[in-house]
Amino acid sequence: MTQAATNTSDTSTSDLMVEMRNVNKWYGDFHVLRDIYLEVKRGERIVVCGPSGSGKSTLIRCINHLEEHQKGEIVVGGVPLTQDVKRIEQIRRSVGMVFQHFNLFPHLSVLENCCIAPMWVQKKPRKEAEALAMEYLERVRIAEQATKYPGQLSGGQQQRVAIARSLCMHPDVMLFDEPTSALDPEMIKEVLDVMVELAEEGMTMICVTHEMGFAKTVADRVIFMDQGQIIEENAPEPFFNNPQSERTQLFLSQILGH
Amino acid sequence: MIHNKETIPQRPAPKGTIGPIAWLRGNLFNGPINTVFTLLGLYVLYLLVVPTVQWAFIDANWVGDSREDCTRAGACWVFVNARFSQFMYGLYPSEEYWRANIVFAMFAGIIAWMVVPRLPFKRWMALFALLIFPVIAYVLLHGGYFDLPRVSTHRWGGLMLTLLLATVGMVGALPIGIVLALGRRSNMPIVKTFCVIFIEFWRGVPLITILFMASVMLPLFLPSELSVDRLVRALIGLTLFQSAYMAEVIRGGLQAIPKGQDEAAAALGMTYWKRMGLIVMPQALKMMIPGIVNTFISLFKDTTLVMIIGLFDLLGIVQAALSDSRWLGFSIEGYVFAAFVFWIFCFSMSRYSQYLERKLNTGHKH
């Protein structure tokens, strides 16, 4: 991290990538996030799960300020998230995000999708941006489709391009917002494989997902949310084998019980 | 149980289900009701087309220089012929027509250059068209520089004036409309309120009223030494009026772009203007082509309203020529001619927009 705002004297927080303290958010009267405390260390892999409407997507969307929290403190890579647009953009440059519906830019080719941010945000020359994009497209095993448009690809291919697009910005942390929920069953694996590889390379990841197999293989911690609160937080092994709270037990029995 | 061990090869469709004969049978003569409609339609077409062709072409008079050359059996295009230069240039002095012709030719050249896909340097051409061409056109048409005699704007007219009003209106209304549409969707209350008031004011007032206000009321409020040319006032009124409509068309297009597009661009760290300029606007503009061209076409035809403030556009000059005592009774020919010229331009715009839609769509679908 080279940001000037990093507080270097405070060694206890220096390896924390994301810090959320007492974060609260409301949609009108509806209290979506309630007293969220979450600390994610560099290199840590977090899986967030919970029933729909529990606020898990909102939680990770607050980290790059796609949603605005009303109370509490969020610090990303040592930079406190404020209303300041420059600050927000600085944080977003270091935080990659993968969406449920891919959100590739349909008017740009796969290669252009990956180049556009390095070229226009990081001011890289086109040649360099293209080389970088090809490198990441190769890593997600889709380089041969570089000249195609997103509309010509399958869902799984699109999601892998979306991951490559985020990686091209060299993010310090990746947020995954239900990356496999919109995919046909036979395409889930190809996306999860890429995510597992990414985790093995040491990327800091926060994944909202219902893929419990993925959680068991790669997660350092699993977080269970319900009604805007973090109910339970544990390493995957005890989380799945010995859930403490009743709500977690109910949730796990519902998604694993068939 | 295995049904097909091998892939069944493609076979041609049965005879009589494809081809022109099959199309006719399938679409025009399938069943008694459709057959009756087809025959009825052909009969109506016959009733309309034959007399029209008879009047406009076969019985028409084409050459001559006075009304004595008209047999009155059909249309007398002699009238249009005799007044043609007036219809094109208005009251522009005839010895200076060459100046208008140069501007016409450059204008046509620029349009052709921008429309033909194969020609290179589109970006430079656009810059030339927006920055240098207006200066050249002004110097040539208005004169007063380089020993060119001055031709004041009240002598400008005809198709030249129509094209001038329409072009300035279109080129001005699009960017102003984009800014207004973005402003209306802005989170900043002051900007938003200003844009809403601006759009609703200009949309709520008839164009005629605006033109009247521009020509009659504006001079009353402005100090007398600050007299703005009547044509310029009409241009400003027309442009602002159309930009309000344009803003609403563009806002509709912006709303059709999924929110995820803006979010994905934001998540990559793009600023507001980059998100709009690189991601949202290019997609929205593509979708808005029909709406934008629709607005352009209505603008093109609305230019005829400047007649009421004493500017003689194509229709205005035709109207004026009809009251000439030497050519009384040729109003049908005059109006048909005006309608035909307007139709040519509007239809071309419509066709070009369809072509553009098709061209831009193939880029990412199939």
Side-chain angles (χ1 to χ4, degrees), chain A residues 61 89 92 95 99 103-107 116 120-121 123 149 165 169, chain B residues 260-261 263-264 266-268 270-271 274 278-279 282-283 286 363-364:
Chain A
R61 285 161 62 88
E89 280 158 8
R92 282 173 177 168
V95 177
F99 299 84
N103 297 354
L104 292 179
F105 307 130
H107 62 304
I116 194 157
W120 289 88
V121 178
K123 313 273 181 235
Y149 284 85
R165 177 177 71 177
M169 291 293 284
Chain B
Q261 291 291 311
E263 285 179 352
L268 289 165
M270 291 191 192
T271 60
K274 279 176 192 151
L278 296 170
I279 306 300
Q283 293 182 56
K286 203 183 290 180
H364 58 93

PDB file of all heavy atoms in Angstrom, chain A residues 61 89 92 95 99 103-107 116 120-121 123 149 165 169, chain B residues 260-261 263-264 266-268 270-271 274 278-279 282-283 286 363-364:
ATOM      1  N   ARG A  61     -20.992  -4.591  -0.399  1.00  0.00           N
ATOM      2  CA  ARG A  61     -21.125  -3.415  -1.262  1.00  0.00           C
ATOM      3  C   ARG A  61     -20.800  -2.125  -0.514  1.00  0.00           C
ATOM      4  O   ARG A  61     -20.530  -1.101  -1.138  1.00  0.00           O
ATOM      5  CB  ARG A  61     -22.520  -3.351  -1.872  1.00  0.00           C
ATOM      6  CG  ARG A  61     -22.721  -4.370  -2.996  1.00  0.00           C
ATOM      7  CD  ARG A  61     -24.181  -4.613  -3.280  1.00  0.00           C
ATOM      8  NE  ARG A  61     -24.838  -3.390  -3.731  1.00  0.00           N
ATOM      9  CZ  ARG A  61     -24.884  -3.006  -5.005  1.00  0.00           C
ATOM     10  NH1 ARG A  61     -24.314  -3.730  -5.934  1.00  0.00           N
ATOM     11  NH2 ARG A  61     -25.491  -1.887  -5.343  1.00  0.00           N
ATOM     12  N   GLU A  89     -12.811   6.804  -4.783  1.00  0.00           N
ATOM     13  CA  GLU A  89     -12.222   6.272  -6.018  1.00  0.00           C
ATOM     14  C   GLU A  89     -10.876   5.612  -5.740  1.00  0.00           C
ATOM     15  O   GLU A  89     -10.522   4.597  -6.353  1.00  0.00           O
ATOM     16  CB  GLU A  89     -12.087   7.392  -7.058  1.00  0.00           C
ATOM     17  CG  GLU A  89     -13.414   7.663  -7.753  1.00  0.00           C
ATOM     18  CD  GLU A  89     -13.497   9.040  -8.382  1.00  0.00           C
ATOM     19  OE1 GLU A  89     -12.474   9.746  -8.423  1.00  0.00           O
ATOM     20  OE2 GLU A  89     -14.600   9.413  -8.824  1.00  0.00           O
ATOM     21  N   ARG A  92     -11.675   2.251  -4.375  1.00  0.00           N
ATOM     22  CA  ARG A  92     -12.209   1.355  -5.406  1.00  0.00           C
ATOM     23  C   ARG A  92     -11.125   0.833  -6.333  1.00  0.00           C
ATOM     24  O   ARG A  92     -11.235  -0.274  -6.867  1.00  0.00           O
ATOM     25  CB  ARG A  92     -13.279   2.092  -6.226  1.00  0.00           C
ATOM     26  CG  ARG A  92     -14.601   2.193  -5.506  1.00  0.00           C
ATOM     27  CD  ARG A  92     -15.555   3.055  -6.274  1.00  0.00           C
ATOM     28  NE  ARG A  92     -16.858   3.121  -5.634  1.00  0.00           N
ATOM     29  CZ  ARG A  92     -17.806   3.984  -5.974  1.00  0.00           C
ATOM     30  NH1 ARG A  92     -17.584   4.852  -6.938  1.00  0.00           N
ATOM     31  NH2 ARG A  92     -18.961   3.980  -5.368  1.00  0.00           N
ATOM     32  N   VAL A  95      -9.820  -2.252  -4.718  1.00  0.00           N
ATOM     33  CA  VAL A  95     -10.783  -3.283  -4.342  1.00  0.00           C
ATOM     34  C   VAL A  95     -11.461  -3.787  -5.612  1.00  0.00           C
ATOM     35  O   VAL A  95     -12.126  -3.033  -6.311  1.00  0.00           O
ATOM     36  CB  VAL A  95     -11.848  -2.717  -3.378  1.00  0.00           C
ATOM     37  CG1 VAL A  95     -12.884  -3.783  -3.058  1.00  0.00           C
ATOM     38  CG2 VAL A  95     -11.210  -2.200  -2.112  1.00  0.00           C
ATOM     39  N   PHE A  99     -19.631  -9.448  -9.735  1.00  0.00           N
ATOM     40  CA  PHE A  99     -21.058  -9.342  -9.456  1.00  0.00           C
ATOM     41  C   PHE A  99     -21.798 -10.623  -9.816  1.00  0.00           C
ATOM     42  O   PHE A  99     -21.331 -11.416 -10.633  1.00  0.00           O
ATOM     43  CB  PHE A  99     -21.668  -8.188 -10.256  1.00  0.00           C
ATOM     44  CG  PHE A  99     -21.084  -6.846  -9.939  1.00  0.00           C
ATOM     45  CD1 PHE A  99     -19.914  -6.409 -10.542  1.00  0.00           C
ATOM     46  CD2 PHE A  99     -21.699  -6.003  -9.026  1.00  0.00           C
ATOM     47  CE1 PHE A  99     -19.377  -5.169 -10.258  1.00  0.00           C
ATOM     48  CE2 PHE A  99     -21.173  -4.757  -8.730  1.00  0.00           C
ATOM     49  CZ  PHE A  99     -20.006  -4.351  -9.351  1.00  0.00           C
ATOM     50  N   ASN A 103     -22.077  -8.175 -15.125  1.00  0.00           N
ATOM     51  CA  ASN A 103     -21.967  -6.756 -15.471  1.00  0.00           C
ATOM     52  C   ASN A 103     -20.774  -6.445 -16.363  1.00  0.00           C
ATOM     53  O   ASN A 103     -20.105  -5.435 -16.191  1.00  0.00           O
ATOM     54  CB  ASN A 103     -21.885  -5.886 -14.209  1.00  0.00           C
ATOM     55  CG  ASN A 103     -23.143  -5.985 -13.370  1.00  0.00           C
ATOM     56  OD1 ASN A 103     -24.111  -6.606 -13.786  1.00  0.00           O
ATOM     57  ND2 ASN A 103     -23.139  -5.380 -12.206  1.00  0.00           N
ATOM     58  N   LEU A 104     -20.535  -7.306 -17.336  1.00  0.00           N
ATOM     59  CA  LEU A 104     -19.546  -6.955 -18.356  1.00  0.00           C
ATOM     60  C   LEU A 104     -20.128  -5.840 -19.214  1.00  0.00           C
ATOM     61  O   LEU A 104     -21.346  -5.677 -19.290  1.00  0.00           O
ATOM     62  CB  LEU A 104     -19.208  -8.173 -19.217  1.00  0.00           C
ATOM     63  CG  LEU A 104     -18.447  -9.289 -18.506  1.00  0.00           C
ATOM     64  CD1 LEU A 104     -18.201 -10.440 -19.471  1.00  0.00           C
ATOM     65  CD2 LEU A 104     -17.130  -8.785 -17.948  1.00  0.00           C
ATOM     66  N   PHE A 105     -19.245  -5.095 -19.880  1.00  0.00           N
ATOM     67  CA  PHE A 105     -19.725  -3.994 -20.720  1.00  0.00           C
ATOM     68  C   PHE A 105     -20.045  -4.565 -22.105  1.00  0.00           C
ATOM     69  O   PHE A 105     -19.133  -4.942 -22.845  1.00  0.00           O
ATOM     70  CB  PHE A 105     -18.670  -2.893 -20.804  1.00  0.00           C
ATOM     71  CG  PHE A 105     -18.202  -2.439 -19.443  1.00  0.00           C
ATOM     72  CD1 PHE A 105     -16.860  -2.356 -19.140  1.00  0.00           C
ATOM     73  CD2 PHE A 105     -19.114  -2.091 -18.449  1.00  0.00           C
ATOM     74  CE1 PHE A 105     -16.428  -1.944 -17.888  1.00  0.00           C
ATOM     75  CE2 PHE A 105     -18.691  -1.677 -17.191  1.00  0.00           C
ATOM     76  CZ  PHE A 105     -17.356  -1.611 -16.911  1.00  0.00           C
ATOM     77  N   PRO A 106     -21.326  -4.626 -22.467  1.00  0.00           N
ATOM     78  CA  PRO A 106     -21.701  -5.362 -23.686  1.00  0.00           C
ATOM     79  C   PRO A 106     -21.215  -4.706 -24.974  1.00  0.00           C
ATOM     80  O   PRO A 106     -21.150  -5.363 -25.998  1.00  0.00           O
ATOM     81  CB  PRO A 106     -23.239  -5.378 -23.629  1.00  0.00           C
ATOM     82  CG  PRO A 106     -23.606  -4.235 -22.757  1.00  0.00           C
ATOM     83  CD  PRO A 106     -22.482  -4.083 -21.766  1.00  0.00           C
ATOM     84  N   HIS A 107     -20.889  -3.404 -24.918  1.00  0.00           N
ATOM     85  CA  HIS A 107     -20.475  -2.722 -26.151  1.00  0.00           C
ATOM     86  C   HIS A 107     -18.972  -2.844 -26.387  1.00  0.00           C
ATOM     87  O   HIS A 107     -18.464  -2.330 -27.376  1.00  0.00           O
ATOM     88  CB  HIS A 107     -20.892  -1.259 -26.114  1.00  0.00           C
ATOM     89  CG  HIS A 107     -20.253  -0.477 -24.998  1.00  0.00           C
ATOM     90  ND1 HIS A 107     -20.369  -0.851 -23.674  1.00  0.00           N
ATOM     91  CD2 HIS A 107     -19.489   0.624 -25.013  1.00  0.00           C
ATOM     92  CE1 HIS A 107     -19.710   0.014 -22.924  1.00  0.00           C
ATOM     93  NE2 HIS A 107     -19.155   0.914 -23.706  1.00  0.00           N
ATOM     94  N   ILE A 116     -10.079  -1.397 -20.290  1.00  0.00           N
ATOM     95  CA  ILE A 116     -10.610  -0.040 -20.194  1.00  0.00           C
ATOM     96  C   ILE A 116     -10.228   0.635 -18.878  1.00  0.00           C
ATOM     97  O   ILE A 116      -9.834   1.805 -18.868  1.00  0.00           O
ATOM     98  CB  ILE A 116     -12.142  -0.022 -20.455  1.00  0.00           C
ATOM     99  CG1 ILE A 116     -12.596   1.401 -20.689  1.00  0.00           C
ATOM    100  CG2 ILE A 116     -12.914  -0.685 -19.317  1.00  0.00           C
ATOM    101  CD1 ILE A 116     -13.879   1.512 -21.462  1.00  0.00           C
ATOM    102  N   TRP A 120      -7.834   3.873 -18.633  1.00  0.00           N
ATOM    103  CA  TRP A 120      -8.449   5.167 -18.322  1.00  0.00           C
ATOM    104  C   TRP A 120      -8.318   5.554 -16.854  1.00  0.00           C
ATOM    105  O   TRP A 120      -8.387   6.725 -16.523  1.00  0.00           O
ATOM    106  CB  TRP A 120      -9.929   5.169 -18.727  1.00  0.00           C
ATOM    107  CG  TRP A 120     -10.082   5.181 -20.201  1.00  0.00           C
ATOM    108  CD1 TRP A 120     -10.124   4.103 -21.033  1.00  0.00           C
ATOM    109  CD2 TRP A 120     -10.177   6.326 -21.051  1.00  0.00           C
ATOM    110  NE1 TRP A 120     -10.242   4.502 -22.336  1.00  0.00           N
ATOM    111  CE2 TRP A 120     -10.289   5.851 -22.375  1.00  0.00           C
ATOM    112  CE3 TRP A 120     -10.194   7.713 -20.816  1.00  0.00           C
ATOM    113  CZ2 TRP A 120     -10.398   6.719 -23.466  1.00  0.00           C
ATOM    114  CZ3 TRP A 120     -10.316   8.570 -21.902  1.00  0.00           C
ATOM    115  CH2 TRP A 120     -10.418   8.064 -23.211  1.00  0.00           C
ATOM    116  N   VAL A 121      -8.162   4.562 -15.977  1.00  0.00           N
ATOM    117  CA  VAL A 121      -8.036   4.885 -14.557  1.00  0.00           C
ATOM    118  C   VAL A 121      -6.565   4.941 -14.151  1.00  0.00           C
ATOM    119  O   VAL A 121      -6.121   5.871 -13.500  1.00  0.00           O
ATOM    120  CB  VAL A 121      -8.802   3.861 -13.695  1.00  0.00           C
ATOM    121  CG1 VAL A 121      -8.632   4.171 -12.218  1.00  0.00           C
ATOM    122  CG2 VAL A 121     -10.272   3.859 -14.077  1.00  0.00           C
ATOM    123  N   LYS A 123      -4.085   4.990 -16.395  1.00  0.00           N
ATOM    124  CA  LYS A 123      -3.357   5.670 -17.481  1.00  0.00           C
ATOM    125  C   LYS A 123      -2.237   4.816 -18.070  1.00  0.00           C
ATOM    126  O   LYS A 123      -1.176   5.322 -18.413  1.00  0.00           O
ATOM    127  CB  LYS A 123      -2.759   7.001 -16.981  1.00  0.00           C
ATOM    128  CG  LYS A 123      -3.725   7.858 -16.187  1.00  0.00           C
ATOM    129  CD  LYS A 123      -4.535   8.746 -17.115  1.00  0.00           C
ATOM    130  CE  LYS A 123      -5.480   9.630 -16.321  1.00  0.00           C
ATOM    131  NZ  LYS A 123      -6.863   9.523 -16.716  1.00  0.00           N
ATOM    132  N   TYR A 149     -17.474 -10.564 -28.122  1.00  0.00           N
ATOM    133  CA  TYR A 149     -18.224  -9.662 -27.258  1.00  0.00           C
ATOM    134  C   TYR A 149     -18.912 -10.480 -26.162  1.00  0.00           C
ATOM    135  O   TYR A 149     -19.212 -11.657 -26.360  1.00  0.00           O
ATOM    136  CB  TYR A 149     -19.247  -8.881 -28.079  1.00  0.00           C
ATOM    137  CG  TYR A 149     -18.597  -7.784 -28.877  1.00  0.00           C
ATOM    138  CD1 TYR A 149     -18.046  -8.045 -30.120  1.00  0.00           C
ATOM    139  CD2 TYR A 149     -18.487  -6.496 -28.358  1.00  0.00           C
ATOM    140  CE1 TYR A 149     -17.409  -7.054 -30.850  1.00  0.00           C
ATOM    141  CE2 TYR A 149     -17.858  -5.494 -29.072  1.00  0.00           C
ATOM    142  CZ  TYR A 149     -17.319  -5.773 -30.317  1.00  0.00           C
ATOM    143  OH  TYR A 149     -16.694  -4.787 -31.016  1.00  0.00           O
ATOM    144  N   ARG A 165     -11.158  -9.056 -15.512  1.00  0.00           N
ATOM    145  CA  ARG A 165     -11.279  -7.594 -15.596  1.00  0.00           C
ATOM    146  C   ARG A 165     -10.910  -6.947 -14.267  1.00  0.00           C
ATOM    147  O   ARG A 165     -10.217  -5.945 -14.226  1.00  0.00           O
ATOM    148  CB  ARG A 165     -12.717  -7.229 -15.984  1.00  0.00           C
ATOM    149  CG  ARG A 165     -12.975  -5.744 -16.019  1.00  0.00           C
ATOM    150  CD  ARG A 165     -14.375  -5.427 -16.484  1.00  0.00           C
ATOM    151  NE  ARG A 165     -15.379  -5.784 -15.477  1.00  0.00           N
ATOM    152  CZ  ARG A 165     -16.685  -5.542 -15.620  1.00  0.00           C
ATOM    153  NH1 ARG A 165     -17.125  -4.965 -16.719  1.00  0.00           N
ATOM    154  NH2 ARG A 165     -17.536  -5.894 -14.687  1.00  0.00           N
ATOM    155  N   MET A 169      -6.699  -4.675 -12.523  1.00  0.00           N
ATOM    156  CA  MET A 169      -6.429  -3.468 -11.735  1.00  0.00           C
ATOM    157  C   MET A 169      -5.496  -3.779 -10.556  1.00  0.00           C
ATOM    158  O   MET A 169      -5.258  -2.914  -9.717  1.00  0.00           O
ATOM    159  CB  MET A 169      -7.741  -2.877 -11.207  1.00  0.00           C
ATOM    160  CG  MET A 169      -8.621  -2.277 -12.273  1.00  0.00           C
ATOM    161  SD  MET A 169      -7.902  -0.807 -13.009  1.00  0.00           S
ATOM    162  CE  MET A 169      -8.194   0.405 -11.725  1.00  0.00           C
TER     163      MET A 169
ATOM    164  N   GLY B 260     -26.258  -2.055 -12.954  1.00  0.00           N
ATOM    165  CA  GLY B 260     -25.021  -2.827 -12.794  1.00  0.00           C
ATOM    166  C   GLY B 260     -23.882  -2.313 -13.653  1.00  0.00           C
ATOM    167  O   GLY B 260     -22.717  -2.472 -13.297  1.00  0.00           O
ATOM    168  N   GLN B 261     -24.199  -1.723 -14.819  1.00  0.00           N
ATOM    169  CA  GLN B 261     -23.152  -1.198 -15.680  1.00  0.00           C
ATOM    170  C   GLN B 261     -22.399  -0.069 -14.991  1.00  0.00           C
ATOM    171  O   GLN B 261     -21.169  -0.032 -14.981  1.00  0.00           O
ATOM    172  CB  GLN B 261     -23.769  -0.704 -16.997  1.00  0.00           C
ATOM    173  CG  GLN B 261     -24.293  -1.815 -17.866  1.00  0.00           C
ATOM    174  CD  GLN B 261     -23.174  -2.654 -18.424  1.00  0.00           C
ATOM    175  OE1 GLN B 261     -22.203  -2.146 -18.956  1.00  0.00           O
ATOM    176  NE2 GLN B 261     -23.289  -3.968 -18.272  1.00  0.00           N
ATOM    177  N   GLU B 263     -22.370   0.482 -11.812  1.00  0.00           N
ATOM    178  CA  GLU B 263     -21.721  -0.053 -10.609  1.00  0.00           C
ATOM    179  C   GLU B 263     -20.416  -0.753 -10.952  1.00  0.00           C
ATOM    180  O   GLU B 263     -19.410  -0.585 -10.251  1.00  0.00           O
ATOM    181  CB  GLU B 263     -22.656  -1.032  -9.901  1.00  0.00           C
ATOM    182  CG  GLU B 263     -23.770  -0.345  -9.151  1.00  0.00           C
ATOM    183  CD  GLU B 263     -24.706  -1.326  -8.482  1.00  0.00           C
ATOM    184  OE1 GLU B 263     -24.572  -2.543  -8.723  1.00  0.00           O
ATOM    185  OE2 GLU B 263     -25.575  -0.870  -7.726  1.00  0.00           O
ATOM    186  N   ALA B 264     -20.428  -1.541 -12.043  1.00  0.00           N
ATOM    187  CA  ALA B 264     -19.198  -2.239 -12.431  1.00  0.00           C
ATOM    188  C   ALA B 264     -18.113  -1.240 -12.774  1.00  0.00           C
ATOM    189  O   ALA B 264     -16.950  -1.411 -12.397  1.00  0.00           O
ATOM    190  CB  ALA B 264     -19.482  -3.167 -13.610  1.00  0.00           C
ATOM    191  N   ALA B 266     -17.938   1.824 -11.657  1.00  0.00           N
ATOM    192  CA  ALA B 266     -17.549   2.494 -10.413  1.00  0.00           C
ATOM    193  C   ALA B 266     -16.611   1.610  -9.604  1.00  0.00           C
ATOM    194  O   ALA B 266     -15.623   2.079  -9.048  1.00  0.00           O
ATOM    195  CB  ALA B 266     -18.797   2.842  -9.596  1.00  0.00           C
ATOM    196  N   ALA B 267     -16.917   0.300  -9.577  1.00  0.00           N
ATOM    197  CA  ALA B 267     -16.095  -0.622  -8.793  1.00  0.00           C
ATOM    198  C   ALA B 267     -14.671  -0.697  -9.336  1.00  0.00           C
ATOM    199  O   ALA B 267     -13.751  -1.074  -8.625  1.00  0.00           O
ATOM    200  CB  ALA B 267     -16.726  -2.012  -8.793  1.00  0.00           C
ATOM    201  N   LEU B 268     -14.493  -0.329 -10.628  1.00  0.00           N
ATOM    202  CA  LEU B 268     -13.148  -0.320 -11.200  1.00  0.00           C
ATOM    203  C   LEU B 268     -12.430   0.997 -10.916  1.00  0.00           C
ATOM    204  O   LEU B 268     -11.309   1.200 -11.377  1.00  0.00           O
ATOM    205  CB  LEU B 268     -13.227  -0.549 -12.713  1.00  0.00           C
ATOM    206  CG  LEU B 268     -13.616  -1.965 -13.137  1.00  0.00           C
ATOM    207  CD1 LEU B 268     -14.011  -1.995 -14.603  1.00  0.00           C
ATOM    208  CD2 LEU B 268     -12.489  -2.936 -12.879  1.00  0.00           C
ATOM    209  N   MET B 270     -13.594   4.141 -11.729  1.00  0.00           N
ATOM    210  CA  MET B 270     -13.790   5.209 -12.705  1.00  0.00           C
ATOM    211  C   MET B 270     -14.516   6.388 -12.075  1.00  0.00           C
ATOM    212  O   MET B 270     -15.424   6.204 -11.257  1.00  0.00           O
ATOM    213  CB  MET B 270     -14.616   4.699 -13.887  1.00  0.00           C
ATOM    214  CG  MET B 270     -13.882   3.702 -14.744  1.00  0.00           C
ATOM    215  SD  MET B 270     -14.815   3.435 -16.257  1.00  0.00           S
ATOM    216  CE  MET B 270     -13.983   2.018 -16.900  1.00  0.00           C
ATOM    217  N   THR B 271     -14.169   7.590 -12.528  1.00  0.00           N
ATOM    218  CA  THR B 271     -14.868   8.786 -12.059  1.00  0.00           C
ATOM    219  C   THR B 271     -16.230   8.868 -12.755  1.00  0.00           C
ATOM    220  O   THR B 271     -16.483   8.162 -13.730  1.00  0.00           O
ATOM    221  CB  THR B 271     -14.075  10.047 -12.416  1.00  0.00           C
ATOM    222  OG1 THR B 271     -13.947  10.104 -13.838  1.00  0.00           O
ATOM    223  CG2 THR B 271     -12.688  10.019 -11.795  1.00  0.00           C
ATOM    224  N   LYS B 274     -16.005   9.482 -16.503  1.00  0.00           N
ATOM    225  CA  LYS B 274     -15.528   8.321 -17.259  1.00  0.00           C
ATOM    226  C   LYS B 274     -16.613   7.253 -17.338  1.00  0.00           C
ATOM    227  O   LYS B 274     -16.787   6.603 -18.369  1.00  0.00           O
ATOM    228  CB  LYS B 274     -14.261   7.748 -16.608  1.00  0.00           C
ATOM    229  CG  LYS B 274     -13.038   8.537 -17.000  1.00  0.00           C
ATOM    230  CD  LYS B 274     -11.787   8.072 -16.314  1.00  0.00           C
ATOM    231  CE  LYS B 274     -10.699   9.117 -16.551  1.00  0.00           C
ATOM    232  NZ  LYS B 274      -9.734   9.144 -15.463  1.00  0.00           N
ATOM    233  N   LEU B 278     -17.570   6.552 -21.048  1.00  0.00           N
ATOM    234  CA  LEU B 278     -17.020   5.319 -21.607  1.00  0.00           C
ATOM    235  C   LEU B 278     -18.001   4.155 -21.535  1.00  0.00           C
ATOM    236  O   LEU B 278     -17.959   3.263 -22.377  1.00  0.00           O
ATOM    237  CB  LEU B 278     -15.742   4.916 -20.860  1.00  0.00           C
ATOM    238  CG  LEU B 278     -14.557   5.866 -20.956  1.00  0.00           C
ATOM    239  CD1 LEU B 278     -13.475   5.450 -19.968  1.00  0.00           C
ATOM    240  CD2 LEU B 278     -13.999   5.874 -22.362  1.00  0.00           C
ATOM    241  N   ILE B 279     -18.844   4.134 -20.528  1.00  0.00           N
ATOM    242  CA  ILE B 279     -19.669   2.945 -20.304  1.00  0.00           C
ATOM    243  C   ILE B 279     -21.153   3.225 -20.562  1.00  0.00           C
ATOM    244  O   ILE B 279     -21.783   2.556 -21.383  1.00  0.00           O
ATOM    245  CB  ILE B 279     -19.479   2.424 -18.859  1.00  0.00           C
ATOM    246  CG1 ILE B 279     -18.001   2.199 -18.561  1.00  0.00           C
ATOM    247  CG2 ILE B 279     -20.298   1.170 -18.617  1.00  0.00           C
ATOM    248  CD1 ILE B 279     -17.309   1.209 -19.450  1.00  0.00           C
ATOM    249  N   PRO B 282     -22.212   5.506 -24.299  1.00  0.00           N
ATOM    250  CA  PRO B 282     -22.118   4.777 -25.571  1.00  0.00           C
ATOM    251  C   PRO B 282     -23.235   3.745 -25.738  1.00  0.00           C
ATOM    252  O   PRO B 282     -23.768   3.574 -26.830  1.00  0.00           O
ATOM    253  CB  PRO B 282     -20.753   4.088 -25.497  1.00  0.00           C
ATOM    254  CG  PRO B 282     -19.972   4.879 -24.523  1.00  0.00           C
ATOM    255  CD  PRO B 282     -20.955   5.412 -23.529  1.00  0.00           C
ATOM    256  N   GLN B 283     -23.593   3.076 -24.640  1.00  0.00           N
ATOM    257  CA  GLN B 283     -24.677   2.087 -24.733  1.00  0.00           C
ATOM    258  C   GLN B 283     -26.025   2.766 -24.884  1.00  0.00           C
ATOM    259  O   GLN B 283     -26.881   2.335 -25.654  1.00  0.00           O
ATOM    260  CB  GLN B 283     -24.701   1.219 -23.478  1.00  0.00           C
ATOM    261  CG  GLN B 283     -23.496   0.336 -23.328  1.00  0.00           C
ATOM    262  CD  GLN B 283     -23.617  -0.531 -22.090  1.00  0.00           C
ATOM    263  OE1 GLN B 283     -24.568  -1.266 -21.928  1.00  0.00           O
ATOM    264  NE2 GLN B 283     -22.653  -0.422 -21.201  1.00  0.00           N
ATOM    265  N   LYS B 286     -26.641   4.370 -28.368  1.00  0.00           N
ATOM    266  CA  LYS B 286     -26.949   3.351 -29.357  1.00  0.00           C
ATOM    267  C   LYS B 286     -28.435   3.011 -29.316  1.00  0.00           C
ATOM    268  O   LYS B 286     -29.092   2.902 -30.334  1.00  0.00           O
ATOM    269  CB  LYS B 286     -26.106   2.107 -29.035  1.00  0.00           C
ATOM    270  CG  LYS B 286     -25.885   1.201 -30.199  1.00  0.00           C
ATOM    271  CD  LYS B 286     -25.109  -0.018 -29.779  1.00  0.00           C
ATOM    272  CE  LYS B 286     -23.666   0.308 -29.430  1.00  0.00           C
ATOM    273  NZ  LYS B 286     -22.923  -0.904 -29.017  1.00  0.00           N
ATOM    274  N   GLY B 363     -22.473  -5.558 -33.733  1.00  0.00           N
ATOM    275  CA  GLY B 363     -21.203  -5.559 -33.013  1.00  0.00           C
ATOM    276  C   GLY B 363     -21.154  -6.551 -31.869  1.00  0.00           C
ATOM    277  O   GLY B 363     -20.151  -7.197 -31.660  1.00  0.00           O
ATOM    278  N   HIS B 364     -22.218  -6.676 -31.112  1.00  0.00           N
ATOM    279  CA  HIS B 364     -22.108  -7.547 -29.944  1.00  0.00           C
ATOM    280  C   HIS B 364     -23.249  -8.538 -29.815  1.00  0.00           C
ATOM    281  O   HIS B 364     -23.351  -9.236 -28.834  1.00  0.00           O
ATOM    282  CB  HIS B 364     -21.985  -6.714 -28.672  1.00  0.00           C
ATOM    283  CG  HIS B 364     -23.122  -5.777 -28.454  1.00  0.00           C
ATOM    284  ND1 HIS B 364     -24.196  -6.123 -27.707  1.00  0.00           N
ATOM    285  CD2 HIS B 364     -23.329  -4.523 -28.898  1.00  0.00           C
ATOM    286  CE1 HIS B 364     -25.036  -5.111 -27.698  1.00  0.00           C
ATOM    287  NE2 HIS B 364     -24.541  -4.139 -28.400  1.00  0.00           N
TER     288      HIS B 364
END
